[in-house]
Amino acid sequence: MVRKKYNISVEATLEVIGGKWKCVILCHLIHGKRRTSDLKRIMPAITQKMLTQQLRELENDGIVNRIVYNQVPPKVEYELSDYGRSLEPILNALCNWGDQHIVKEYRDKSAVLEDNGLNDFNSDNRELVQP
């Protein structure tokens, strides 16, 4: 097995959660278990193929758990693993920075953020909280 060498530790983080969709998926999973169809519905711009690929990579890295229910029709849910939960402070910081950036650039968060129940339009900062 070839050991990787990183120039800086953030490279290891980005290798696991980098890209356009992984952090978005993880932010949705902070709020609880989700079926693939739920994630697809709340992330309409992602393709089914990309969603499946990203979930598999997160599962392989131990960030999410895939729960398969033995029933007909088959039911599969995804949830953050304990290891994945350790990313919550990072995800919260990214969301808070994003809120500040949106206010700086657009002034009105409601003009650019979806009204999906996850976004707080009444404050300048948002913190992800578990229901």
Side-chain angles (χ1 to χ4, degrees):
M1 179 176 160
V2 177
R3 291 193 171 246
K4 287 198 171 196
K5 289 254 184 183
Y6 298 106
N7 188 41
I8 188 169
S9 297
V10 74
E11 290 177 38
T13 305
L14 291 175
E15 185 174 54
V16 176
I17 66 167
K20 182 175 180 178
W21 295 110
K22 286 184 181 176
C23 284
V24 177
I25 292 167
L26 295 173
C27 285
H28 288 301
L29 292 178
I30 281 176
H31 298 281
K33 294 178 188 173
R34 300 277 188 174
R35 295 179 75 164
T36 308
S37 58
D38 296 332
L39 290 168
K40 180 67 178 105
R41 183 178 34 75
I42 58 180
M43 300 168 54
I46 192 171
T47 65
Q48 185 65 47
K49 179 181 176 184
M50 181 58 70
L51 178 58
T52 300
Q53 177 185 332
Q54 300 295 281
L55 286 167
R56 282 185 186 149
E57 289 177 12
L58 290 166
E59 181 185 9
N60 289 338
D61 287 327
I63 305 300
V64 301
N65 295 324
R66 182 176 187 259
I67 305 161
V68 180
Y69 296 91
N70 189 17
Q71 66 183 50
V72 176
K75 178 181 176 183
V76 177
E77 289 182 324
Y78 292 89
E79 68 180 357
L80 287 179
S81 66
D82 289 340
Y83 186 50
R85 288 235 169 254
S86 70
L87 289 165
E88 283 188 63
I90 295 167
L91 298 169
N92 284 333
L94 286 170
C95 286
N96 289 335
W97 189 90
D99 273 344
Q100 293 170 12
H101 177 71
I102 287 169
V103 168
K104 175 185 172 286
E105 292 295 316
Y106 304 101
R107 306 251 189 279
D108 181 10
K109 290 193 298 185
S110 65
V112 295
L113 285 176
E114 294 287 338
D115 187 8
N116 59 13
L118 297 176
N119 297 308
D120 179 6
F121 298 122
N122 297 320
S123 68
D124 287 341
N125 291 308
R126 172 186 62 203
E127 184 172 334
L128 296 175
V129 293
Q130 296 181 35

